[in-house]
Amino acid sequence: MTYRFLRILGAVGAACALGLPTSLAAQDLITRDRVGLPDAPNTMTFRLTAFDLYSSDPATREAFEALFTDFIEARPDWKIETQIVTDNIGQEQARLLEQTRAGRGPDCAMVDSSQLALFKSADVLKPMNSHWSSAEIDDLFPFVREAVTNEAGDLLAWWWFTDLRVLYRDTRLVPDAPETWEDLESAALATVEAGREGLLFNGGRWEGTTFDWLAHFWAQGGRLVDDAGRPVFAEGENREKFLAAIGFYKGLVDASAAPPRVTSIVNYDEFNAAAAAGTAGLFIGGNWQYGQLRGTLPEADFAAWAVSAIPGPTADQRATGTGGWTIAALSDDAEAVRICAEMVREIYSGQSNAIQGLLPTSAAQYDAFDVFEGPEYDVFSEALVDGQARPGVPIYPELSNAIQILMGDVLSGAATPEEALDAADEAVQAAFERL
């Protein structure tokens, strides 16, 4: 008997118990655009990504179908009309904001963490304070708590999972975690002397290059934009910090602590491949790569790899880029807001993290689920304290593109860091004026 058939039987049983007509009881509770009975008197619309309830992975999809079925069976007078977002996050989120402002948006939606500030500034997010305790909100990692609350302390969204960048190292060559930029360069040179490539990082023209490198800029307290969203990365102290972070990468290449080919790396998979081939000694990658290495490397080789926080200019200056998705209520209907918040609590917050191995956004949730046991999760949890998200401003895509170009020019020697920074600033300021 299939899982889906069992679920249909479950829906039939629930409907009969509620005295619903047999014709309705025979219908599936979960379709491609609905959760619940089709003629349930109350409706909440929910815009979500395709990675959980509608996942292409059967095990993930079945796990979420079970959670959603339990949720809607407990609320038979409600149905959730679902809308799946497209893969073009920028366009999708802009459309969501526009529709919401016009009163045509969904009641509840996943909002990319990088866009959350835009939604906050547009004043379209409905507070969900009554559904979380102060202690739960206080337990959120600092960058999460700051992002999901406003000055009045209202909880405007729930950031249900995140990711982060860390330093991977082969402990047979680098037994101790580097703490500073200087330590990292020395460790990379040690791996070169052992016949490896040194430190690998994204340096080609794509968003990963900007986002991974920003950890070095943010670790110094650098700011890309001011409170009004105006680019300020090339001004005053920010300029000095920017040049220091670019100079660090440039110095790694010049010293052969990083190979010249980093300027063409535009995919995290290259780090996995280098680790599998035995050519990498260190790389800056995403937390999700730990599980990928576990599945790729022979057991003895995998056991030699460890993760640690990305070193900063000093041991006390640390940052790491964070992403992930939030869920927010957008409706003026208080009952729809309630159902949205209850759905987040009962389906997404914690349980969904455990199903997919996605990093929770509060320290307590790491202890609540066995799946997050292990030394790597201790590292991830500790590093998230220094997490920093992309600024949720319209200029960010252009700013990222300018940094990608700048990185290539500097690392290849086509321009000095100062020349490249001036060119990037000119391009970004011009784009800002066009917004």
Side-chain angles (χ1 to χ4, degrees):
M1 187 176 295
T2 66
Y3 171 85
R4 190 173 184 80
F5 185 59
L6 287 170
R7 275 302 176 201
I8 293 174
L9 288 181
V12 170
C16 291
L18 292 163
L20 296 175
T22 305
S23 60
L24 294 182
Q27 298 183 50
D28 198 347
L29 282 179
I30 298 179
T31 70
R32 193 61 177 172
D33 59 5
R34 171 176 47 78
V35 175
L37 296 173
D39 59 352
N42 303 302
T43 301
M44 180 191 77
T45 51
F46 177 38
R47 191 169 298 178
L48 72 167
T49 64
F51 306 126
D52 39 68
L53 180 61
Y54 299 118
S55 172
S56 59
D57 174 57
T60 299
R61 185 175 65 251
E62 290 184 7
F64 275 91
E65 285 178 347
L67 289 174
F68 270 95
T69 299
D70 290 344
F71 180 81
I72 209 66
E73 284 179 348
R75 298 163 181 80
D77 56 340
W78 279 86
K79 63 178 178 294
I80 303 172
E81 292 184 349
T82 56
Q83 308 166 2
I84 303 177
V85 304
T86 65
D87 291 337
N88 190 327
I89 294 177
Q91 287 185 5
E92 180 66 43
Q93 296 288 280
R95 184 168 69 97
L96 174 62
L97 182 56
E98 180 181 348
Q99 291 176 333
T100 303
R101 280 170 159 163
R104 295 181 283 104
D107 298 316
C108 183
M110 290 192 180
V111 177
D112 188 77
S113 59
S114 67
Q115 306 293 315
L116 190 60
L118 284 177
F119 283 75
K120 286 173 66 175
S121 63
D123 197 25
V124 297
L125 306 177
K126 307 304 177 185
M128 298 190 291
N129 302 45
S130 59
H131 301 280
W132 278 270
S133 69
S134 298
E136 289 174 311
I137 297 173
D138 290 343
D139 192 52
L140 293 169
F141 292 116
F143 74 95
V144 173
R145 187 169 58 249
E146 179 181 354
V148 300
T149 57
N150 61 14
E151 293 181 354
D154 294 328
L155 181 70
L156 300 178
W158 188 257
W159 192 331
W160 71 280
F161 80 89
T162 188
D163 54 28
L164 76 159
R165 275 62 177 168
V166 290
L167 175 68
Y168 288 79
R169 73 182 192 281
D170 186 332
T171 58
R172 291 167 295 195
L173 301 173
V174 185
D176 299 321
E179 296 285 339
T180 66
W181 287 353
E182 184 178 0
D183 291 345
L184 181 55
E185 180 171 333
S186 297
L189 289 172
T191 66
V192 171
E193 291 176 2
R196 304 285 183 93
E197 287 190 290
L199 176 67
L200 298 180
F201 53 80
N202 282 301
R205 191 168 176 181
W206 80 304
E207 165 62 13
T209 290
T210 295
F211 196 44
D212 297 359
W213 168 83
L214 280 173
H216 302 289
F217 177 59
W218 285 332
Q220 304 169 76
R223 298 189 65 188
L224 293 172
V225 298
D226 63 16
D227 292 340
R230 186 178 67 86
V232 295
F233 63 97
E235 299 176 3
E237 293 183 353
N238 292 322
R239 181 181 181 87
E240 297 175 11
K241 294 167 182 173
F242 197 102
L243 289 173
I246 286 292
F248 170 57
Y249 264 27
K250 173 66 171 170
L252 290 172
V253 174
D254 288 349
S256 298
R261 81 177 183 94
V262 294
T263 58
S264 64
I265 295 180
V266 292
N267 192 318
Y268 293 98
D269 291 343
E270 292 206 32
F271 308 145
N272 293 347
T279 60
L282 294 151
F283 66 86
I284 294 175
N287 66 282
W288 62 89
Q289 290 185 263
Y290 193 85
Q292 293 172 352
L293 290 180
R294 190 200 307 273
T296 301
L297 300 180
E299 186 174 350
D301 288 337
F302 173 71
W305 281 86
V307 292
S308 57
I310 296 174
T314 69
D316 296 329
Q317 293 176 293
R318 297 288 181 85
T320 183
T322 58
W325 285 86
T326 75
I327 302 179
L330 304 168
S331 176
D332 291 329
D333 181 347
E335 281 300 286
V337 172
R338 177 179 65 82
I339 294 297
C340 176
E342 291 177 355
M343 179 190 69
V344 176
R345 273 202 76 97
E346 296 181 27
I347 295 179
Y348 284 97
S349 180
Q351 293 199 71
S352 294
N353 300 87
I355 289 171
Q356 296 179 290
L358 299 173
L359 298 183
T361 54
S362 75
Q365 288 179 327
Y366 279 89
D367 299 328
F369 297 93
D370 293 343
V371 70
F372 298 118
E373 291 182 353
E376 72 275 20
Y377 285 107
D378 292 338
V379 171
F380 298 154
S381 177
E382 292 170 5
L384 281 172
V385 173
D386 299 316
Q388 190 152 339
R390 300 171 178 87
V393 293
I395 196 60
Y396 179 78
E398 184 64 34
L399 203 157
S400 172
N401 183 58
I403 292 176
Q404 295 163 33
I405 296 172
L406 174 154
M407 191 72 72
D409 288 344
V410 171
L411 296 185
S412 68
T416 67
E418 291 79 4
E419 292 170 344
L421 177 55
D422 289 339
D425 186 41
E426 183 177 354
V428 172
Q429 297 297 346
F432 185 71
E433 292 299 320
R434 295 193 296 269
L435 290 177

